[in-house]
C-alpha cells in the first residue's frame, strides 16, 4: 500500500462538474478582478465565521501583511508572535518594518504560551499575533485579556484553522480585531492557486483593508493610502465558494480520522511511545495537520518513507533561528519548547478521503518501527 501525505484529486472528482460550471461562468463573464464572485464569497466567509466583514486578498501572507498595514503597524513597532509557525507569520511583521518579538509555545498545544507574553510587552508593542497552529485555536482568553489591558491589537493567523472553535465556541479568526485566512491548496479550504481573506467586525478597519488591497484606492486613480495589489481573483472566489459548502463535511472527516488514529494508537499502547495530539472535547480542532511528537523522529521519517507513507515535518527550523531573522539576535536555547517541537514532531496524513485501511497501515508501520 501507499499512503500519500495529501491527495487532492479524489476530492476534486466529487465536485468537478460544479467547479467547472462555476469557472465557466467567470470565463463567460470575462470579469476576472473584484467582481460578483469575490463579493459573494466574502459574504459567505463572513457568515461562516460569524464576522461582520470579510475582505478577499491574494494570499494568507498578504492577509497578515495588509492587516498590519491597515492598523498602521510599521517601523519602531513590535509585534509579539510565535516562532513555531510558517515563515509568513513573522515575515509579514518584518516586511511592514516592525519587529517580530518571539514568545515560546505551550508544548501541549503547539501555540504561543499565553503565560509568557506579559513579560515581553514593552511600550513599543502594538499587537499580538497568535497562530492557530495545525487547526487548533491558541489559548485566546488570556491573550485577549492582556491585549485589552495593554490596548494592543490581536491579529489572528487562522491560515490553518478555518472553522476551528475555542473552548467558548468562538470561531478562529473572529476573536481578535482581525483574522487572517489562507486558501493555499493544502489548507482545509484550498483554492486552485493562491488566495486569502481578512475578517473583522470593525467597519472602518474593513474599509481600510478594501482600499489597501487595491493600491489604497477607493476612487479610481486617487490614492489617499499607499497600498498594493493584494486582490483575490474572481476564478479563485468562484471555486472556493463551491468548496466552502462542503467544508464542514470535510472537516468532520478530518476529525473522524484523527479520532481513529487516536484510538488505534491507544489500543496498541503507542500513545506511551509517541505523544498524540490533544483532542480537546470542548474545542473544535479542525486538523489541518495531525502532528505526533516522536522519539527518533528522523529515523521514523526514513522508515515511513520506505513504507510508502507520506508525512511532513512542520517546522524543522523555528523562526527565531532562521537566517533571515539573525539580526533579531536570538540563539539556540532561547525557545526550548519550539526547538524541541522542531526536532521531534512529524505530521501524518489526515486529509478527509483517507480510508480506515490506510490509517491502519500508517499505525501498523509506526508500531513496527517502535517494536510493538
Ligand atoms: C499557509 C500559512 C500562511 C500563509 O498563507 P499563504 O496563502 O501560503 O500565503 C500563513 N501562516 C500560516 C500559519 C500558514 O500555515
Amino acid at each position: 500500500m501507499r499512503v500519500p501525505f495529501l491527495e487532492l484529486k479524489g476530492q476534486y472528482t466529487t465536485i468537478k462538474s460544479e467547479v467547472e460550471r462555476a469557472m465557466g461562468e467567470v470565463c463567460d463573464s470575462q470579469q476576472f478582478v473584484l467582481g460578483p464572485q469575490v463579493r459573494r464569497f466574502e459574504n459567505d466567509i463572513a457568515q461562516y465565521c460569524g464576522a461582520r466583514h470579510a475582505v478577499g486578498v491574494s494570499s494568507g501572507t498578504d492577509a497578515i501583511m495588509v492587516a498590519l498595514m491597515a492598523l498602521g503597524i510599521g517601523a519602531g513597532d513590535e509585534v509579539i508572535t510565535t516562532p513555531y509557525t510558517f515563515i509568513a507569520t513573522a515575515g509579514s511583521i518584518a516586511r511592514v518594518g516592525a519587529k517580530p518579538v518571539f514568545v515560546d509555545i505551550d508544548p501541549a498545544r503547539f501555540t504561543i504560551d499565553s503565560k509568557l507574553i506579559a513579560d515581553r510587552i514593552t511600550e513599543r508593542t502594538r499587537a499580538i499575533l497568535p497562530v492557530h497552529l495545525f487547526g487548533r485555536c491558541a489559548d485566546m482568553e488570556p491573550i485577549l485579556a492582556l491585549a485589552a489591558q495593554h490596548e494592543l491589537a490581536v491579529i489572528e493567523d487562522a491560515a490553518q484553522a478555518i472553522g476551528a472553535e475555542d473552548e467558548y465556541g468562538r470561531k478562529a479568526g473572529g476573536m481578535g480585531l482581525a483574522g487572517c485566512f489562507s486558501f493555499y491548496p493544502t489548507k482545509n479550504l484550498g483554492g486552485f492557486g493562491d488566495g486569502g481573506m481578512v475578517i473583522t467586525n470593525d467597519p472602518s478597519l474593513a474599509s481600510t483593508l478594501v482600499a489597501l488591497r487595491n493600491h489604497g484606492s477607493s476612487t479610481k486613480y486617487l490614492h489617499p493610502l499607499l497600498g498594493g495589489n493584494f486582490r483575490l481573483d474572481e476564478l479563485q472566489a468562484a471555486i472556493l465558494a463551491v468548496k466552502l459548502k462542503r467544508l464542514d463535511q470535510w472537516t468532520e472527516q478530518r476529525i473522524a480520522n484523527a479520532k481513529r488514529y487516536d484510538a488505534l494508537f491507544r489500543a496498541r499502547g503507542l500513545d506511551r511511545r509517541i505523544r498524540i495530539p490533544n483532542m480537546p472535547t470542548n474545542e473544535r480542532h479542525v486538523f489541518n495537520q495531525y502532528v505526533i511528537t516522536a522519539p527518533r523522529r528522523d529515523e521514523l521519517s526514513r522508515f515511513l518513507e520506505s513504507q510508502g507513507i507520506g508525512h511532513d515535518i512542520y517546522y524543522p527550523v523555528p523562526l527565531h533561528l532562521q537566517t533571515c531573522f539573525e539580526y533579531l539576535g536570538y540563539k539556540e536555547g532561547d525557545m526550548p519548547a519550539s526547538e524541541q517541537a522542531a526536532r521531534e514532531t512529524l505530521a501524518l496524513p489526515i486529509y478527509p478521503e483517507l480510508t480506515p485501511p490506510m490509517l491502519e497501515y500508517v499505525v501498523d508501520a509506526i508500531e513496527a518501527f517502535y517494536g510493538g
Side-chain angles (χ1 to χ4, degrees), residues 78 101 112 114 152 204 208 232 242 257 264 266 282 357 362 372:
E78 295 177 357
V101 173
I112 192 166
S114 57
L152 308 175
S204 92
T208 306
L232 178 65
V242 171
N257 289 343
L264 289 168
R266 288 205 176 96
N282 59 345
V362 173

Side-chain angles (χ1 to χ4, degrees), residues 58-64 84-90 92 129-134 157-161 180-187 193-197 288-289 314-315:
S58 32
S59 68
T61 306
D62 289 340
I64 300 167
Y84 188 56
T85 176
F86 184 56
I87 181 70
T89 315
S92 302
L129 210 168
V131 180
H132 305 309
L133 200 72
F134 303 144
D157 181 341
Q160 301 182 4
C180 304
F181 295 99
S182 163
F183 306 121
Y184 186 73
T186 63
K187 310 292 172 164
D194 284 302
M197 188 77 68
N288 180 241
Q289 302 299 345
Y314 299 103
Y315 294 91

Side-chain angles (χ1 to χ4, degrees), residues 338-359:
S338 299
E339 291 163 29
Q340 185 175 4
R343 273 192 307 268
E344 297 187 350
T345 61
L346 183 140
L348 297 173
I350 192 66
Y351 57 94
E353 295 75 22
L354 285 169
T355 60
M358 291 164 108
L359 294 168

Side-chain angles (χ1 to χ4, degrees), residues 322-345:
Q322 294 285 349
T323 308
C324 66
F325 289 133
E326 241 169 41
Y327 70 95
L328 293 172
Y330 292 93
K331 58 185 189 317
E332 200 152 354
D334 284 347
M335 307 276 147
S338 299
E339 291 163 29
Q340 185 175 4
R343 273 192 307 268
E344 297 187 350
T345 61

Side-chain angles (χ1 to χ4, degrees), residues 20-346:
E20 285 178 349
R21 203 172 328 118
M23 290 171 76
E25 274 173 40
V26 176
C27 294
D28 290 341
S29 78
Q30 288 291 299
Q31 187 176 354
F32 295 115
V33 174
L34 295 186
Q37 301 287 347
V38 168
R39 273 197 299 279
R40 183 186 65 159
F41 180 56
E42 287 173 340
N43 286 332
D44 291 349
I45 288 286
Q47 196 173 13
Y48 183 79
C49 296
R52 301 231 322 260
H53 306 276
V55 181
V57 294
S58 32
S59 68
T61 306
D62 289 340
I64 300 167
M65 176 116 166
V66 82
L68 291 161
M69 289 168 74
L71 293 168
I73 292 172
D77 296 331
E78 295 177 357
V79 178
I80 291 175
T81 194
T82 161
Y84 188 56
T85 176
F86 184 56
I87 181 70
T89 315
S92 302
I93 296 168
R95 286 170 61 214
V96 299
K99 179 176 167 187
V101 173
F102 293 117
V103 165
D104 206 0
I105 55 167
D106 169 357
R109 63 202 291 160
F110 298 128
T111 57
I112 192 166
D113 189 338
S114 57
K115 295 185 300 301
L116 303 179
I117 294 175
D119 276 352
R120 305 308 308 275
I121 295 174
T122 71
E123 68 266 26
R124 290 172 182 266
T125 309
R126 294 284 313 281
I128 305 174
L129 210 168
V131 180
H132 305 309
L133 200 72
F134 303 144
R136 182 175 181 192
C137 287
D139 182 21
M140 289 301 287
E141 197 47 35
I143 294 173
L144 294 167
L146 265 178
Q149 188 191 334
H150 295 272
E151 293 179 47
L152 308 175
V154 173
I155 303 169
E156 300 168 65
D157 181 341
Q160 301 182 4
I162 191 161
E165 291 173 19
D166 79 346
E167 70 228 82
Y168 304 103
R170 297 177 296 196
K171 281 259 161 83
M175 293 180 256
L177 184 52
C180 304
F181 295 99
S182 163
F183 306 121
Y184 186 73
T186 63
K187 310 292 172 164
N188 286 17
L189 180 61
F192 288 10
D194 284 302
M197 188 77 68
V198 186
I199 63 170
T200 182
N201 289 321
D202 182 322
S204 92
L205 181 63
S207 56
T208 306
L209 290 164
V210 166
L212 286 175
R213 75 163 165 199
N214 200 20
H215 288 294
S217 171
S218 324
T219 309
K220 204 172 181 185
Y221 302 129
L222 293 181
H223 306 277
L225 300 171
L226 186 60
N229 176 355
F230 304 127
R231 298 181 298 248
L232 178 65
D233 288 337
E234 286 283 282
L235 269 171
Q236 293 302 339
I239 294 161
L240 288 162
V242 171
K243 295 187 78 171
L244 179 60
K245 289 187 281 180
R246 275 104 171 159
L247 179 62
D248 276 324
Q249 173 201 324
W250 289 329
T251 299
E252 288 309 315
Q253 286 171 268
R254 285 177 181 272
I255 294 169
N257 289 343
K259 285 186 172 154
R260 203 179 285 268
Y261 270 136
D262 288 356
L264 289 168
F265 284 133
R266 288 205 176 96
R268 302 182 192 192
L270 282 167
D271 57 322
R272 291 192 297 269
R273 312 297 286 270
I274 61 173
R275 189 157 68 76
I276 60 179
N278 277 323
M279 180 69 125
T281 50
N282 59 345
E283 295 175 40
R284 189 175 193 232
H285 187 324
V286 296
F287 288 100
N288 180 241
Q289 302 299 345
Y290 183 93
V291 175
I292 60 170
T293 308
R296 296 191 283 139
R297 190 267 318 267
D298 293 337
E299 238 180 285
L300 174 64
S301 165
R302 284 189 292 275
F303 181 71
L304 294 176
E305 183 80 47
S306 75
Q307 300 301 300
I309 296 171
H311 57 280
D312 212 339
I313 286 164
Y314 299 103
Y315 294 91
V317 180
L319 299 187
H320 68 290
L321 300 179
Q322 294 285 349
T323 308
C324 66
F325 289 133
E326 241 169 41
Y327 70 95
L328 293 172
Y330 292 93
K331 58 185 189 317
E332 200 152 354
D334 284 347
M335 307 276 147
S338 299
E339 291 163 29
Q340 185 175 4
R343 273 192 307 268
E344 297 187 350
T345 61
L346 183 140

